[in-house]
Amino acid sequence: MEQKYIVIRGAREHNLKGINLEIPRDKFVIITGPSGSGKSSLALDTIYAEGQRRYVESLSAYARQFLDQMDKPEVDFIDGLSPAISIEQKNTAKNPRSTVGTITEIYDYLRLLYARIGRPHCYQCGREIASQTVQQIVDQVMGLPLETKVQVLAPIIRGKKGEFHKQLRELQRQGFLRVRVNGVIRELTDEIELDKNKKHQIEIVVDRLVIQEPIKARLTDSVEIALKLAEGLVLIQPGNASELLFSERFACIECGISLPEITPQLFSFNSPYGACRACGGLGMRPSGDGSSDHNGEENYIDSQPCPTCQGQRLRPEALAIKIADKSVSQLTALNINQAQEFFKQLSLSSHQYFIASNILKEINARLDFLAEVGLDYITLDRSAATLSGGESQRIRLATQIGSRLVGVLYILDEPTIGLHPRDNQRLLRLLKGLRDLGNTVIVIEHDRDTIMTGDYIIDLGPGAGVHGGYLVARGTPGDILLNKDSLTGKYLSGKVSITLPTKRRLPAQGWLTIHQARQHNLKDIEVKIPLGLFTCITGVSGSGKSTLLVEILYRGLKQLLRGHRAMAGNCQQISGFERVDKVINIDQSPIGRTPRSNPATYTGIFTRIRDLFAQLPESRNRGYQPGRFSFNIKGGRCEACQGDGIIKVEMYFLPDIYVPCEVCRGKRFNRETLEIKYKGRSIADILDMTVDQACIFFQHIPRIVGKLETLRSVGLGYIKLGQSATTLSGGEAQRVKLAKELSRKSTGQTVYILDEPTTGLHFADIDKLLEVLNRLVDAGNTVIVIEHNLDVIKTADYIVDLGPEGGEAGGEVIAYGTPEEVAHVCRSYTGRFLKDILFNMVCRT
């Protein structure tokens, strides 16, 4: 009998409170609730983790030996699971060689395409060269006009120094009569003296012929002899016309170079066979200090392309092979839209099409899927490390759509991140398309449109951390709207809402003006941003928001205010910065890249806690200093795991897994350090507390609780003090950074820049975040955010809307002003959605 539900009994992972649940299979299921309510614990740490365990159980005995090292979710019973695929929002790509083209496999097919139908050219003189059989060469010669005089030459010396007496005597001994030396025909019976210090070009004159049908066989013999003598090369000169080069391999006689064998490997910048020798295929200039990054790669200066390959990564021989006058590097520099158009207009011969049709089918399908998930503005050569979490997730989603698997359980973590409301419906159609194929799609989401589109909603809460983990509501969107206990339902129904400000702040401190911004796709625009206000930069994905705000404004202000060396984006100038004393970019990059980094260390809370532990009587008796309680220093930490608390196990056939250290059992410290306790809690116990728990525990120590309250104020009361930085989402990492800035004394003249701070936030959490941001503005600071969330945009004092589209079709200022002013600009997609919210009207054009 067909299983209709995923049945879960007694789910207790992390903060889940023994949840019992039946999730309908082959449906579009939404898990929602406040941040920290247990959504990821249920979807990823319980359902997906158990699915992964069961997959490993089905493999070989070698694979099953790792089962004991995989954490078994805290759940009594799960039934009805399908093979599970998790598509999370984190961008885990750290390899500088990884690009959009490589991770989508499009570049693999492009390498094959160029190897099969690419037309090679000399990379010095640009002349097209070809590899042909003897019969093809003879047929082309015979195709010349009748009575054409033809000279067949076999090059044996190409640009080498020497007298070459031995070679000339050997040719005469074999019966040849003439040679061409440096362009002049000479008889071999003459005494030929060459300057040994000069480079020479010597070709055997095989025959002098007049093209006539009866001599075709004789010409074939002559060409075969020439090819043997000249190592596969033959030069045929028809009368006074330009020479025609033919060869059994790819070479340019005039420049004295030959191409290597043309295989897919030649176009791989990950292979020594194809990579630029100067930069090793990275396309960037080495820093020159010999330092390396965490992957063992030498550090590279991102803003400086390799002077040898000009950032194209490949050796010149690979770049000289072209399709429709484009090298593979030029093709990958196109965005998805442009690449689709290139292949749509590509004209091939019947022979070429026969070879390339299947390759082109795979390339076009992948390009179409990337466009469908709203990534048509991204170029194929873009480094994977520069992708946002949302972009990275949608690329993996496009790959899964292309696989067209059936009977799979897909779990996605906020796939709408980074998408303008205009693009949400397109993504939702794709997710429902996955469902319609016969798959179960479970999505963790806060987006209103996504929740209302779901077949089945699971609402967790009611709060975060210890106050969450309960099943608040479940059922159809209508069921959630009517549930009086569901905070999500109250926001969806409008009973509770993020309110509009009673009045907009007016610009009174002057303006920051960016003059003639023309970085990437920005169209020489002028942008004015009011100082002392809350400003939103809006627009569809790829319209130029991050380029304008981060690459131009942030880096430009750093140069102007601090003399920073960071390469700023291209603009004429930035004016009006005299009233600014500091600029801070609070982005979503990790707060650390090792398990030892955590919110407590990043915000400075842990320093104060270590000082407290060092002042305890038992610590003084033992002579323990604050360093004793650091897991970054030898002495107090567990040396088996070097303070990480976990050990990495390479799975080979699956992603690496991390298991608790067997010596310290994940506590990070050695036994002697753990013996020191404050109010009955060891330093490891403190790190295992949530921010909310620690606020109560340290309530009588103002210097600690003050910093804890800033974490709580940005909606992070549920995270643990010692939670590894590698497990924090981009949105959580960003809010930890915001909390650190809040704990500092404000000057009132700081510009704060945030890129999508609402990532991972429930409606209620967005309300809290807005309180924090407005607090910064009320203190006189300037807050500028890149945002798609309409609840944030509608509360802004000022909006700058870019577009109208992404990529080359973007980069213009479409609208600017208050939300009400932008709402009346019907050319603005943002304005159309704002009009519906602010005036309950639909903009019609």
Side-chain angles (χ1 to χ4, degrees):
M1 188 170 121
E2 183 183 356
Q3 181 77 48
K4 293 185 177 181
Y5 295 94
I6 299 171
V7 180
I8 300 171
R9 295 286 181 263
R12 300 179 301 280
E13 189 71 14
H14 301 317
N15 67 332
L16 296 179
K17 306 297 195 299
I19 286 179
N20 298 319
L21 189 62
E22 294 84 33
I23 301 174
R25 288 169 52 91
D26 304 334
K27 299 293 183 183
F28 185 31
V29 180
I30 311 296
I31 300 179
T32 189
S35 303
S37 59
K39 301 183 297 296
S40 295
S41 297
L42 175 61
L44 297 171
D45 300 328
T46 301
I47 299 173
Y48 173 67
E50 183 61 19
Q52 191 179 40
R53 275 185 57 83
R54 294 186 185 182
Y55 170 70
V56 174
E57 282 181 340
S58 70
L59 298 177
S60 65
Y62 168 77
R64 291 197 301 274
Q65 68 178 310
F66 296 102
L67 274 173
D68 291 340
Q69 296 173 323
M70 297 178 71
D71 285 336
K72 184 170 179 16
E74 286 288 324
V75 61
D76 294 335
F77 174 81
I78 299 184
D79 190 32
L81 278 179
S82 302
I85 294 175
S86 167
I87 308 176
E88 297 183 58
Q89 60 174 275
K90 293 177 186 175
N91 184 358
T92 57
K94 300 181 179 68
N95 190 336
R97 300 177 186 278
S98 185
T99 67
V100 171
T102 60
I103 60 180
T104 58
E105 298 180 347
I106 291 174
Y107 193 68
D108 295 329
Y109 286 103
L110 287 178
R111 293 195 294 121
L112 183 59
L113 185 70
Y114 271 78
R116 295 294 178 263
I117 66 168
R119 300 181 74 92
H121 294 70
C122 173
Y123 60 82
Q124 289 188 3
C125 69
R127 181 170 61 174
E128 186 173 336
I129 55 181
S131 171
Q132 300 184 342
T133 66
V134 172
Q135 191 59 54
Q136 287 175 312
I137 294 172
V138 171
D139 288 345
Q140 290 207 37
V141 173
M142 295 303 295
L144 295 171
L146 289 176
E147 307 305 319
T148 300
K149 291 183 179 180
V150 177
Q151 190 163 268
V152 180
L153 305 168
I156 59 169
I157 303 297
R158 294 173 305 208
K160 292 183 180 179
K161 293 180 181 180
E163 297 178 331
F164 305 109
H165 291 309
K166 183 177 178 181
Q167 288 90 334
L168 293 170
R169 284 197 299 269
E170 178 62 23
L171 291 174
Q172 188 177 11
R173 190 183 68 79
Q174 291 189 17
F176 291 98
L177 302 177
R178 291 172 295 277
V179 290
R180 189 172 75 166
V181 180
N182 301 328
V184 179
I185 300 292
R186 303 283 296 274
E187 299 292 329
L188 278 169
T189 53
D190 296 341
E191 191 69 28
I192 300 175
E193 296 294 331
L194 301 176
D195 187 339
K196 66 179 180 181
N197 296 315
K198 291 184 178 180
K199 292 181 179 180
H200 301 289
Q201 191 89 1
I202 302 176
E203 297 110 352
I204 308 166
V205 180
V206 177
D207 209 340
R208 289 179 184 276
L209 304 165
V210 174
I211 295 178
Q212 295 172 353
E213 186 62 31
I215 62 130
K216 186 171 184 179
R218 182 177 161 203
L219 179 58
T220 302
D221 293 339
S222 299
V223 172
E224 284 182 341
I225 293 170
L227 288 169
K228 289 177 182 177
L229 289 169
E231 299 178 355
L233 298 175
V234 61
L235 188 68
I236 300 178
Q237 186 173 29
N240 295 323
S242 300
E243 295 171 343
L244 304 175
L245 172 66
F246 302 107
S247 67
E248 288 184 312
R249 60 191 175 89
F250 299 104
C252 178
I253 291 180
E254 290 306 302
C255 299
I257 63 170
S258 61
L259 297 183
E261 183 183 2
I262 300 178
T263 66
Q265 194 178 16
L266 179 64
F267 305 98
S268 172
F269 43 76
N270 292 319
S271 163
Y273 189 73
C276 167
R277 293 182 175 88
C279 64
L282 286 168
M284 294 174 284
R285 179 164 63 86
S287 61
D289 60 5
S291 60
S292 299
D293 65 11
H294 62 281
N295 288 318
E297 295 280 5
E298 184 175 4
N299 283 327
Y300 280 71
I301 303 172
D302 292 346
S303 56
Q304 298 295 321
C306 167
T308 301
C309 67
Q310 299 301 314
Q312 297 181 88
R313 297 175 177 250
L314 295 170
R315 56 191 289 189
E317 293 90 335
L319 297 172
I321 298 167
K322 299 185 178 182
I323 295 176
D325 293 326
K326 283 192 184 294
S327 68
V328 68
S329 176
Q330 291 170 325
L331 182 51
T332 56
L334 302 177
N335 63 37
I336 303 302
N337 262 343
Q338 293 168 330
Q340 286 178 303
E341 191 62 28
F342 173 85
F343 286 110
K344 195 179 295 181
Q345 297 180 0
L346 183 62
S347 177
L348 300 177
S349 67
S350 57
H351 177 69
Q352 288 176 317
Y353 184 76
F354 180 79
I355 294 171
S357 58
N358 287 333
I359 304 172
L360 290 171
K361 180 181 177 182
E362 295 293 340
I363 292 172
N364 286 323
R366 283 163 171 76
L367 290 173
D368 290 345
F369 292 136
L370 286 170
E372 285 181 31
V373 295
L375 295 174
D376 46 9
Y377 61 91
I378 286 184
T379 59
L380 291 170
D381 64 357
R382 179 167 165 181
S383 171
T386 67
L387 296 170
S388 69
E391 288 169 336
S392 181
Q393 184 185 37
R394 292 201 299 282
I395 284 175
R396 292 195 295 274
L397 175 60
T399 304
Q400 288 300 324
I401 294 169
S403 68
R404 296 190 67 82
L405 294 174
V406 176
V408 173
L409 169 60
Y410 287 104
I411 300 176
L412 295 92
D413 189 359
E414 290 198 88
T416 62
I417 287 173
L419 277 184
H420 191 276
R422 183 202 69 166
D423 300 316
N424 276 3
Q425 291 304 318
R426 184 164 55 172
L427 176 64
L428 292 175
R429 282 197 301 270
L430 288 173
L431 294 176
K432 287 188 281 188
L434 275 179
R435 172 203 63 190
D436 295 341
L437 282 173
N439 301 298
T440 304
V441 180
I442 297 178
V443 174
I444 301 170
E445 195 51 89
H446 298 108
D447 175 70
R448 186 186 306 269
D449 290 341
T450 308
I451 296 171
M452 295 304 294
T453 308
D455 299 320
Y456 191 80
I457 315 298
I458 299 167
D459 188 30
L460 300 181
V466 294
H467 305 295
Y470 295 97
L471 182 60
V472 175
R474 57 182 163 180
T476 65
D479 295 333
I480 304 300
L481 288 173
L482 296 173
N483 192 306
K484 59 181 175 52
D485 296 323
S486 171
L487 184 59
T488 302
K490 291 176 182 177
Y491 274 98
L492 291 174
S493 65
K495 293 176 183 175
V496 179
S497 64
I498 295 172
T499 58
L500 289 169
T502 52
K503 67 175 184 175
R504 310 283 181 191
R505 303 180 187 91
L506 298 175
Q509 298 183 27
W511 300 77
L512 272 174
T513 305
I514 304 167
H515 301 270
Q516 294 182 334
R518 45 185 173 265
Q519 180 83 354
H520 300 321
N521 67 334
L522 296 179
K523 306 292 194 300
D524 214 27
I525 59 177
E526 178 174 297
V527 177
K528 298 183 73 174
I529 298 173
L531 290 169
L533 268 60
F534 176 31
T535 297
C536 275
I537 309 296
T538 63
V540 299
S541 301
S543 57
K545 302 183 297 297
S546 296
T547 299
L548 176 70
L549 197 56
V550 179
E551 295 189 34
I552 293 180
L553 182 61
Y554 170 62
R555 292 181 183 175
L557 286 177
K558 282 213 304 187
Q559 283 185 342
L560 293 167
L561 299 174
R562 300 186 236 164
H564 202 278
R565 293 182 181 179
M567 183 72 71
N570 190 358
C571 73
Q572 185 186 66
Q573 66 169 330
I574 298 173
S575 62
F577 63 89
E578 294 79 12
R579 295 191 179 184
V580 176
D581 66 356
K582 188 167 52 172
V583 60
I584 296 170
N585 180 27
I586 306 175
D587 61 19
Q588 295 191 14
S589 61
I591 60 172
R593 296 192 180 276
T594 71
R596 289 195 294 272
S597 301
N598 59 55
T601 57
Y602 185 83
T603 57
I605 294 171
F606 197 46
T607 299
R608 297 183 177 182
I609 292 174
R610 289 191 294 113
D611 289 342
L612 173 65
F613 268 74
Q615 293 169 9
L616 296 175
E618 184 66 19
S619 293
R620 290 183 175 182
N621 291 339
R622 298 188 184 191
Y624 289 170
Q625 299 298 314
R628 177 80 193 194
F629 302 95
S630 169
F631 39 70
N632 290 316
I633 302 173
K634 286 185 177 181
R637 72 181 184 185
C638 169
E639 288 305 320
C641 61
Q642 295 186 321
D644 287 347
I646 54 176
I647 303 291
K648 183 172 81 170
V649 178
E650 293 185 0
M651 296 292 286
Y652 302 105
F653 56 91
L654 285 174
D656 296 338
I657 63 170
Y658 293 85
V659 298
C661 171
E662 293 183 355
V663 176
C664 68
R665 300 189 179 280
K667 293 185 178 294
R668 304 182 178 191
F669 297 92
N670 59 33
R671 183 176 55 206
E672 291 75 18
T673 304
L674 294 174
E675 287 173 352
I676 306 299
K677 296 186 178 180
Y678 173 70
K679 291 185 179 180
R681 302 291 182 95
S682 70
I683 192 74
D685 295 331
I686 301 295
L687 289 172
D688 200 43
M689 289 181 178
T690 65
V691 171
D692 285 335
Q693 290 170 330
C695 280
I696 297 171
F697 188 77
F698 292 110
Q699 59 184 316
H700 300 302
I701 306 179
R703 57 197 305 268
I704 294 178
V705 79
K707 283 185 173 288
L708 289 169
E709 287 292 351
T710 60
L711 282 170
R712 202 183 213 175
S713 70
V714 296
L716 292 177
Y718 63 92
I719 65 171
K720 291 185 177 181
L721 296 182
Q723 186 170 334
S724 171
T726 58
T727 67
L728 294 173
S729 69
E732 288 171 332
Q734 186 179 38
R735 294 200 299 281
V736 170
K737 294 177 185 178
L738 180 59
K740 182 178 180 179
E741 292 303 326
L742 286 171
S743 67
R744 291 174 172 169
K745 189 174 181 180
S746 173
T747 63
Q749 293 181 305
T750 300
V751 172
Y752 293 96
I753 293 173
L754 297 93
D755 192 347
E756 292 199 79
T758 59
T759 297
L761 290 186
H762 187 266
F763 305 104
D765 301 306
I766 292 173
D767 219 353
K768 293 178 187 174
L769 177 67
L770 287 171
E771 285 180 22
V772 172
L773 297 180
N774 280 299
R775 201 164 77 208
L776 288 172
V777 176
D778 290 339
N781 301 295
T782 303
V783 174
I784 314 170
V785 303
I786 296 171
E787 193 54 80
H788 293 115
N789 188 291
L790 292 168
D791 281 325
V792 174
I793 297 171
K794 74 180 185 183
T795 65
D797 298 312
Y798 195 82
I799 294 173
V800 176
D801 189 48
L802 301 184
E805 301 292 340
E808 287 303 311
E812 301 175 38
V813 176
I814 302 301
Y816 58 88
T818 66
E820 288 78 12
E821 290 169 335
V822 171
H824 285 95
V825 180
C826 281
R827 189 181 174 218
S828 164
Y829 290 115
T830 304
R832 298 184 196 184
F833 284 94
L834 277 174
K835 193 162 195 174
D836 192 28
I837 287 180
L838 296 175
F839 310 117
N840 197 27
M841 295 170 61
V842 177
C843 183
R844 303 186 185 277
T845 58

